[in-house]
């Protein structure tokens, strides 16, 4: 491992530990309570007992609330079935992926992001974005906003790689289509403009 890669790894570890500690001390609240319950219109809300309860709830959420089915299946699984620390760990990983994807866009190269790039992005996130607990530590908010941002950014990075290197779309069409489908089930404020941009790009090129 080169000295540069070691510095990047240590930076990621420090950021991960700090984020995890902040996340650990933020309890579930507000919508988290709602999504921890089995939801069927006309029935009394009850604690989720198994994964089938989640599927039933998400069917009715999809029909009556919104279409973010995949992200809310994940959310309900974390809230009702898995231990609390599972969300803290998963959310920390997703924050690192968010910073990493942003760094790759910033550097515009295949090399691992430099430590200073990662730290500037983290500082910018904490300084410029309001309501950090709402966007990054609150389970419902984090999955709906941060996790979907990571998914969308990763799709955009793959798309950029394919178009910039003139790779044949047919070689990766199945995987890209599947991932685009998953991203589309995320947050509509992200998936719709990105989908429209990709569509327009394909029409032009």
């Amino acid at each position: 491992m080169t000295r540069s890669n070691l510095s990047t790894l240590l930076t990621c570890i420090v950021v991960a530990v700090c984020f995890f500690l902040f996340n650990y001390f933020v309890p579930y609240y507000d919508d988290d309570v709602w999504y921890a319950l089995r939801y069927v219109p006309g029935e009394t809300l009850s604690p989720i007992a198994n994964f089938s309860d989640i599927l039933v709830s998400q069917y009715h959420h999809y029909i009556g609330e919104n279409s973010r089915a995949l992200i809310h299946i994940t959310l309900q699984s974390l809230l009702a079935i898995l231990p609390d620390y599972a969300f803290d760990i998963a959310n920390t990983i997703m924050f690192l992926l968010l910073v990493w994807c942003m760094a790759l866009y910033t550097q515009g190269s295949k090399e691992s992001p430099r430590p200073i790039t990662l730290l500037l992005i983290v500082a910018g996130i904490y300084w410029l974005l309001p309501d950090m607990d709402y966007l990054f530590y609150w389970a419902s908010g984090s999955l709906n906003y941060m996790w979907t941002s990571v998914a969308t950014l990763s799709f955009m990075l793959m798309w950029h790689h394919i178009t910039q290197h003139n790779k044949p779309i047919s070689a990766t069409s199945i995987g890209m289509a599947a991932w685009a489908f998953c991203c589309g089930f995320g947050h509509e404020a992200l998936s719709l403009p990105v989908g429209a941009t990709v569509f327009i790009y394909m029409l032009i090129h």
Side-chain angles (χ1 to χ4, degrees):
M1 180 180 290
T2 65
R3 184 175 180 179
S4 176
N5 288 340
L6 180 59
S7 298
T8 299
L9 176 61
L10 292 175
T11 301
C12 289
I13 292 174
V14 171
V15 171
V17 170
C18 293
F19 186 88
F20 177 85
L21 291 176
F22 282 126
N23 207 128
Y24 179 79
F25 289 105
V26 176
Y28 292 145
Y29 66 96
D30 202 359
D31 284 1
D32 297 342
V33 178
W34 168 258
Y35 281 111
L37 300 173
R38 181 178 184 272
Y39 169 66
V40 176
E43 294 185 10
T44 302
L45 295 173
S46 60
I48 291 174
N50 49 53
F51 191 69
S52 64
D53 284 348
I54 293 176
L55 296 180
V56 170
S57 296
Q58 280 310 307
Y59 169 78
H60 293 288
H61 277 292
Y62 184 88
I63 297 299
E65 300 293 330
N66 60 58
S67 60
R68 303 172 196 168
L70 293 181
I71 202 70
H72 285 163
I73 288 174
T74 306
L75 174 61
Q76 290 198 291
S77 298
L78 287 167
L79 292 173
I81 297 177
L82 298 175
D84 291 354
Y85 63 80
F87 167 70
D88 298 328
I89 294 172
N91 205 43
T92 299
I93 294 172
M94 295 304 290
F95 181 76
L96 285 177
L97 288 175
L98 175 69
V99 174
W100 193 269
C101 288
M102 294 174 68
L104 289 177
Y105 261 116
T106 301
Q107 289 191 178
S109 66
K110 295 180 180 179
E111 298 178 359
S112 297
R114 294 183 293 271
I116 186 62
T117 304
L118 297 173
L119 291 175
L120 286 174
I121 289 173
V122 172
I125 288 173
Y126 275 82
W127 185 32
L128 298 174
L129 291 180
D131 299 323
M132 283 295 298
D133 59 333
Y134 181 83
L135 295 174
F136 295 99
Y137 304 129
W138 176 41
S140 297
S142 179
L143 269 81
N144 275 281
Y145 303 110
M146 183 174 73
W147 289 39
T148 55
S149 295
V150 172
T152 304
L153 277 172
S154 66
F155 173 82
M156 292 169 64
L157 282 169
M158 289 188 290
W159 181 263
H160 177 77
H161 177 74
I162 291 172
T163 54
Q164 290 299 309
H165 294 85
N166 295 318
K167 292 184 176 293
I169 298 297
S170 59
T172 53
S173 58
I174 296 177
M176 288 290 289
W179 190 236
F181 181 80
C182 292
C183 293
F185 263 110
H187 199 295
E188 61 279 358
L190 295 171
S191 58
L192 286 176
V194 171
T197 302
V198 170
F199 178 72
I200 293 172
Y201 177 90
M202 293 178 69
L203 288 179
I204 296 173
H205 295 81

